Amino acid sequence: MEIEGKLTTHRQTIAEKFNTYYISVADNITNNNQTKNTIDNSNKKDPLSYLYSAFQQSFTSIKLKNTTTGEIEKIITELKHKNSCGYDKVKTKILKTVSPLIVSPLTHICNRMLSTGTFPDRLKYSEIKPIYKKGDKTQITNYRPISLLPVFSKIFEKVLYKRLYNHLSSNNILVKEQFGFRCNTSTEMAIYTLINNILLSLNTETLVGGLFCELQKAFDCVNYEILLSKMDFYGITGVASKLMESYV
């Protein structure tokens, strides 16, 4: 890898450089964008003000129900078989094999997580695998990180996801144009909807315009302060907000 203008094969040096790059890339992008933006934004609404003005009423607070051994067993059964594993070296196959013996303590731990709003620190540790994308293989910027979390964290994530998603769906918080990360939707449906709207507009001789944005490191650059404030506004208060804050 090329580090500071020199090629090196020293694994520890390369690993440390990858680590430094990945933990700072989002902040660097954000800072660069703020530096380049010289437009006076004094008359523009900040994201939180826009959020509060977009809705006329708040939403019902979420109630996180305790999980059961049956739900945990179902989640484990539906986990995909993968050879990859986190730092604990526990693979999905091993978890499925021993699930009858550990499902009760897992259920207890998960319910403690829901009641206290605390995501276990040990389940936040991940192994980062740099995967080559394109371009010069000696450049660190041409690799994207794959985060391998402990398989147990996926169980707790799915328990919380189910409750958050049900709350968002039952209160009609998600707009119909949101196709990603939702049941019974797909990229094909998004493309069909876009093309259909364009054709309908053309048939009525209406002007059609499109604005496409490419976001660099979109997930890494999420503003967690705004995210947690949105959760509070949507009625996902208390334990859920604490869990998100704890997980971050």
Side-chain angles (χ1 to χ4, degrees), residues 55 172-194 197:
F55 295 92
N172 296 318
I173 294 175
L174 299 178
V175 296
K176 64 179 181 179
E177 292 81 8
Q178 173 66 40
F179 289 91
F181 310 103
R182 300 184 68 179
C183 298
N184 302 318
T185 62
S186 62
T187 53
E188 288 83 1
M189 291 182 63
I191 294 172
Y192 168 79
T193 302
L194 173 62
N197 289 338

Side-chain angles (χ1 to χ4, degrees), residues 14 62 73 76 99 105 113 119 133 163 189 220 240 242:
I14 294 175
I62 189 174
E73 286 178 345
I76 296 175
S99 63
M113 175 193 70
F119 196 90
K133 295 189 300 182
R163 284 148 179 76
M189 291 182 63
D220 296 327
K242 290 180 182 178

Side-chain angles (χ1 to χ4, degrees), residues 119-168:
F119 196 90
D121 288 338
R122 289 286 184 178
L123 299 186
K124 301 177 189 178
Y125 297 161
S126 64
E127 287 190 358
I128 307 299
K129 303 288 185 180
I131 304 298
Y132 171 71
K133 295 189 300 182
K134 60 181 180 179
D136 187 354
K137 290 187 176 182
T138 65
Q139 299 298 315
I140 288 180
T141 55
N142 291 331
Y143 291 78
R144 63 184 179 92
I146 297 295
S147 180
L148 299 179
L149 288 164
V151 67
F152 294 103
S153 69
K154 297 178 182 179
I155 299 173
F156 295 168
E157 287 175 5
K158 289 182 180 296
V159 170
L160 183 59
Y161 166 80
K162 181 179 179 180
R163 284 148 179 76
L164 293 179
Y165 187 81
N166 287 340
H167 176 77
L168 295 173

Side-chain angles (χ1 to χ4, degrees), residues 55-89:
F55 295 92
Q56 299 301 318
Q57 77 285 337
S58 58
F59 297 93
T60 305
S61 296
I62 189 174
K63 295 180 180 179
L64 297 178
K65 297 181 180 178
N66 280 350
T67 186
T68 62
T69 55
E71 182 180 9
I72 299 298
E73 286 178 345
K74 186 173 185 295
I75 290 174
I76 296 175
T77 301
E78 294 176 348
L79 289 176
K80 296 180 180 180
H81 288 276
K82 291 185 178 180
N83 291 324
S84 59
C85 57
Y87 76 94
D88 57 0
K89 304 305 178 184

